[in-house]
């Protein structure tokens, strides 16, 4: 009865509000309803006829199956490997039209340069590993190799090496034992390394914390010799057991100089610095006595477990007290400023400052920030100790004249001699090997000659003269280290001793003690600028030295690649 009254359109509501805007009006022929197979599907769904199962390529309906020739219309997925493909003997990855340049790491270059080049390469462009040390058929013992690498990195970082050099050493050790997919990470107190055998295997990660720091460049040189034997001495097999044995000997090795020699070296450093800024023989003796007394007090505090901040504070008090005592005796033959300045030379943390700025310039900002914060705490400790004595001297009526700036000695020969003795004493305090003491002493003398010629004779800004002299120190230090295949720190750190801003620091503190804060901050800012000039100059000299050396792994006609950032983004 209903079918006789009209077509399908008669069954729909006739109200305009109830009619969809997409329905054709009444009387217009409607298109046929689409079939279920033509319904649109997800864009991520594969059309019919495509196979995602690689096993389907050999089944019926596949191009390689029976009854399907080259002109078969059956399509396969682009993700299905072609017939005859073998994953074990597959062709290399996509090769660009211009080809992939061959990276050659020459064995003649020191391992530091080769590994630094590797670290600065993208992971995909690093050459295949060339295992120097042999392992058994089951492959290297991954946990033991990582543990050995972390122990070596701990000694280097505790000895004052820069973060990039520590990472290069760790990377060199792992590659020598066949672990090429390793990534070391160095921060101020934490070392970690991760090794992933392949993209489908779980990574193995290990870490180690550096809790104690000590200055012993003899131990540092021994670690460098161990790394050099592991990485380059192919004729010498350094097994894991042998490497552990040598590392244990390095840790147990006694310092090359006894404690009394270190105390005498601290006095020699302070006395030489006092003569360098205008003191005489009596000033030398008084400054040396104050520095030795401060060194013994610092040893006493260290034995009681006090932090280094308080050790620096206590060590800075005796030289300042000596200078104030000489002022109270109204002696005209002694310059108290030279005595206090000499004591400050023995305490200023030049080594940590150079390492911190170097880490910042090479991109290790977390480690650089931590090192510079450590330098700031040490400097504040020195300031606290000296200011306490200066305030006490002012209350006792000591006539401390901040306008009496340090007068340089007019005898250049004597200045060069005392600058070399200062460097020699600094090298002994750093526990350097006896074979490196002569080279670093000459390097320090050259630095002072350059500074004196520019600042005293050429009337150039002392900060600029300091930067140039420090640059030459870094240049010669790097060349010495490459010649001896060792670390550059023993040839650089002690040589910057004569350039440290001891006088500017003292006069800044004296101004502050006499309530002339503005003048004191100006002098202290000069000291900070001089310290930064030393650190940047040393790093720049080290980088310039690489212009004279062949870059390992560089393509013919290409220069060393580096990150390019011309703006702040």
């Amino acid at each position: 009865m209903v079918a006789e009254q009209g077509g399908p359109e008669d069954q729909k509501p006739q109200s305009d509000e109830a009619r969809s805007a997409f329905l054709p009006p009444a009387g217009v022929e409607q298109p046929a309803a689409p079939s279920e197979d033509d319904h649109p599907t997800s864009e991520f769904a594969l059309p019919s006829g495509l196979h995602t199962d690689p096993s389907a390529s050999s089944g019926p309906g596949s191009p390689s199956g029976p009854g399907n020739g080259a002109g078969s219309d059956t399509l396969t997925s682009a993700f299905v490997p072609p017939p005859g493909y073998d994953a074990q003997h597959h062709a290399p990855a996509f090769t660009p039209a211009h080809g992939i340049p061959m990276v050659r790491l020459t064995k003649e270059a020191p391992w530091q340069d080769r590994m630094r080049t590797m670290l600065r390469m993208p992971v995909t462009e690093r050459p295949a590993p060339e295992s120097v040390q042999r392992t058994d058929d089951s492959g290297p013992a991954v946990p033991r190799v990582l543990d050995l690498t972390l122990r070596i990195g701990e000694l280097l970082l505790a000895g004052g090496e820069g973060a990039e050099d520590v990472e290069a050493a760790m990377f060199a050790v792992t590659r020598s034992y066949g672990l090429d997919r390793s990534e070391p990470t160095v921060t101020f107190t934490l070392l970690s390394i991760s090794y992933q055998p392949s993209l489908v295997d779980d990574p193995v990660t290990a870490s180690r914390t550096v809790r104690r720091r000590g200055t012993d460049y003899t131990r540092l040189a021994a670690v460098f010799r161990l790394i050099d034997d592991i990485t380059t001495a192919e004729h010498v097999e350094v097994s894991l057991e042998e490497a552990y044995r040598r590392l244990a000997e390095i840790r147990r090795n006694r310092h090359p100089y006894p404690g009394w020699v270190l105390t005498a070296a601290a006095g020699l450093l302070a006395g030489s610095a006092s003569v360098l800024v205008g003191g005489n023989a009596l000033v030398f003796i008084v400054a040396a006595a104050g520095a030795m007394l401060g060194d013994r007090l610092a040893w006493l505090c260290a034995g009681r477990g006090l932090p280094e901040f308080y050790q620096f504070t206590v060590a800075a008090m005796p030289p300042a007290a000596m200078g104030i005592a000489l002022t109270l005796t109204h002696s005209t033959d002694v310059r108290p400023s030279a005595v206090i300045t000499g004591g400050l030379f023995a305490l200023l943390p030049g080594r940590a400052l150079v390492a911190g700025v170097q880490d910042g310039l090479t991109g290790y900002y977390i480690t650089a920030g931590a090192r510079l914060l450590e330098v700031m705490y040490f400097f504040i400790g020195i300031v606290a100790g000296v200011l306490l004595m200066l305030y006490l001297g002012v209350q006792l009526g000591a006539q401390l004249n901040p306008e009496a700036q340090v007068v340089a000695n007019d005898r250049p020969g004597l200045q060069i001699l005392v600058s070399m003795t200062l460097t020699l004493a600094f090298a002994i305090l750093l526990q350097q090997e006896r074979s490196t003491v002569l080279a670093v002493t000459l390097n320090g003398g050259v630095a002072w000659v350059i500074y004196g010629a520019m600042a005293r004779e050429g009337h150039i800004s002392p900060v600029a003269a300091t930067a140039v002299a420090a640059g030459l120190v870094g240049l010669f230090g790097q060349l010495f280290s490459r010649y001896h295949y060792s670390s550059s720190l023993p040839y650089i750190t002690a040589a910057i001793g004569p350039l440290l801003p001891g006088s500017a620091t003292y006069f800044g503190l004296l101004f502050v003690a006499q309530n002339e804060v503005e003048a004191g901050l100006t002098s202290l800012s000069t000291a900070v600028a001089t310290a930064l000039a030393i650190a940047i100059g040393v790093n720049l000299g080290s980088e310039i030295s690489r212009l004279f050396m062949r870059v390992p792994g560089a393509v013919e006609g290409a220069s060393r690649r580096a990150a390019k950032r011309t703006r702040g983004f």
Side-chain angles (χ1 to χ4, degrees), residues 175-252:
R175 284 181 63 89
S176 299
Y177 285 105
L179 306 184
D180 59 316
R181 295 178 178 269
S182 60
E183 287 295 335
T185 303
V186 176
T187 57
F188 183 59
T189 57
L190 180 65
L191 297 168
S192 63
I193 187 168
S194 178
Y195 170 70
Q196 188 172 13
S198 65
L199 296 177
V200 297
D201 294 326
D202 295 331
V204 180
T205 303
S207 61
R208 194 173 183 88
T209 302
V210 180
R211 302 189 183 278
R212 293 189 60 185
R213 297 179 181 272
T215 303
D216 189 345
Y217 283 178
T218 300
R219 179 180 296 175
L220 192 68
V223 176
F224 265 72
R225 283 193 293 269
L226 173 60
I227 300 173
D228 187 66
D229 291 341
I230 292 175
T231 57
T232 60
E234 298 183 1
H235 60 282
V236 179
E237 181 180 357
V238 184
S239 62
L240 286 174
E241 289 74 14
E242 176 68 15
Y244 268 107
R245 185 189 64 80
R246 292 179 58 178
L247 197 62
E249 291 180 355
I250 293 173
R251 285 181 174 273
R252 291 194 301 265

